[in-house]
Amino acid sequence: MPSRLDDELLRLVSAGVLRQYQAEALRAAADAEVEAALARTQPEPTAAVAPPPKPRTPPAAVHSNALVEVLGYVGGALLLGAVALLTLANWGEMGRAARISTGSVAAVVLLGSAIVLRIFRRRDQLASALASLGCCVTGFATYVAIEGAAGRVIGVVVALALAGLGLWWLAGSSLLVATFGILAVGVLVVTADLLTPADGSASNSAGIAGTGFILVAIVLGVLGLVRDRPTAWSLAGAAMFSSSICWLIQERGEIMALAVGTAGPAALLVAYGRQRASAYAVVGCSILLVIWPTALYQLTDNVAGVAIGLVVASVALLFAVLLLSRRRPTT
């Protein structure tokens, strides 16, 4: 159409009907009309339609019956308390068979409950707590059955073996606590029954126990690599604290108490710098603030030693805080 319009306008200009500027104005008006018509016929661009949002699935409801777990803890504690009270109240009147059966029944109930809970995958923490109580009661029942020094040693071995099986099968901090308690009793039993003469005249018994607690700390440190590291390593620090106390009791053992009471907190503070578990810092600071003043007081036999120990411990703690605050956790 524009070409036909151009031809007609050229003919009219040649015939003198229109002037050139009039022909150009008509052509411009015709072009504008054509463009407007084309614009009206083209469809308007539609906005991109967003896909409908996916329906949100409601979170699965967690039905945690806290009452059942609380009742389990209370029941286990009551059973253990009943056995202890019954034993203490009637120990003299109870025959050997009654003593053995009382401890054995309590051990079977506690361990059996833990096994049932674990098999049916219910309440792992409660199963761990009941298993820890069962290990201790089984060790006691073994001691009652055998009696004497041999009964104490074998009872500790049996309880420790059960605790080891529980740590392998179950995951729970209560079994670590039970393991620490059994190992501590084992150190005292071995020191008193196997390494101390019958007349009790050994002057290095406390030092032997202090060495035993260092070994306990090493065992718990290794267990922390595979089970509940904060709890295991905190208990290792507690074992180092126990070792320091033993060395304080030992004659002229203050220097060793200071060495052990410094090495343990140093390891815990390094662990805190890498793991940022507050339990490490709490246990480490507690050991420093107890061992240093006490050891220096025994060395100097003066209250000034307590002040010096507090100053040394405070300076060490402040230096550790400044040093560790500049480190970034690696995990």
Side-chain angles (χ1 to χ4, degrees):
M1 180 176 177
S3 60
R4 293 179 56 187
L5 178 60
D6 290 340
D7 294 340
E8 188 64 23
L9 290 176
L10 182 58
R11 186 184 65 81
L12 293 175
V13 171
S14 302
V17 177
L18 295 176
R19 296 184 181 273
Q20 184 64 35
Y21 71 90
Q22 293 174 333
E24 292 176 356
L26 290 173
R27 185 169 53 223
D31 293 338
E33 185 66 20
V34 170
E35 291 177 359
L38 291 175
R40 287 192 298 268
T41 58
Q42 290 180 353
E44 295 182 0
T46 58
V49 180
K54 295 182 179 180
R56 297 180 61 184
T57 57
V62 179
H63 303 284
S64 58
N65 193 347
L67 179 61
V68 175
E69 190 156 352
V70 170
L71 289 177
Y73 284 111
V74 174
L78 289 177
L79 178 60
L80 185 61
V83 172
L85 289 175
L86 182 63
T87 303
L88 292 175
N90 303 291
W91 186 261
E93 291 77 13
M94 292 174 63
R96 187 166 181 270
R99 297 174 184 176
I100 296 173
S101 61
T102 301
S104 300
V105 169
V108 169
V109 170
L110 290 170
L111 292 176
S113 301
I115 292 172
V116 169
L117 290 173
R118 181 62 179 87
I119 290 176
F120 290 98
R121 300 187 181 277
R122 302 284 184 86
R123 311 288 176 189
D124 288 343
Q125 292 297 327
L126 177 57
S128 176
L130 293 176
S132 63
L133 293 176
C135 294
C136 298
V137 174
T138 304
F140 172 75
T142 304
Y143 159 67
V144 171
I146 300 177
E147 296 182 343
R152 287 190 289 271
V153 174
I154 297 175
V156 169
V157 172
V158 170
L160 187 60
L162 290 175
L165 289 174
L167 285 173
W168 171 74
W169 196 35
L170 297 170
S173 57
S174 55
L175 275 168
L176 286 170
V177 176
T179 302
F180 168 72
I182 296 169
L183 287 173
V185 172
V187 168
L188 299 179
V189 167
V190 170
T191 301
D193 292 336
L194 300 182
L195 302 179
T196 301
D199 56 4
S201 61
S203 60
N204 59 347
S205 296
I208 295 173
T211 305
F213 278 110
I214 293 176
L215 297 177
V216 172
I218 294 174
V219 171
L220 289 169
V222 174
L223 287 177
L225 300 177
V226 294
R227 282 288 187 273
D228 195 359
R229 183 171 300 176
T231 301
W233 285 4
S234 298
L235 291 173
M240 295 293 281
F241 176 74
S242 302
S243 176
S244 300
I245 297 298
C246 292
W247 285 109
L248 287 176
I249 298 173
Q250 175 70 31
E251 184 179 358
R252 293 186 299 275
E254 292 84 1
I255 300 300
M256 189 64 184
L258 284 175
V260 175
T262 304
L268 287 173
L269 291 175
V270 170
Y272 170 74
R274 298 180 63 85
Q275 304 290 328
R276 286 297 190 269
S278 58
Y280 302 152
V282 171
V283 176
C285 293
S286 300
I287 297 173
L288 282 177
L289 291 174
V290 172
I291 296 302
W292 271 85
T294 306
L296 289 182
Y297 174 74
Q298 290 189 192
L299 282 173
T300 61
D301 198 17
N302 195 313
V303 179
V306 178
I308 296 173
L310 290 174
V311 170
V312 172
S314 301
V315 170
L317 294 178
L318 290 175
F319 177 75
V321 169
L322 292 176
L323 181 63
L324 296 174
S325 63
R326 302 178 62 183
R327 295 177 59 90
R328 300 183 62 183
T330 58
T331 58

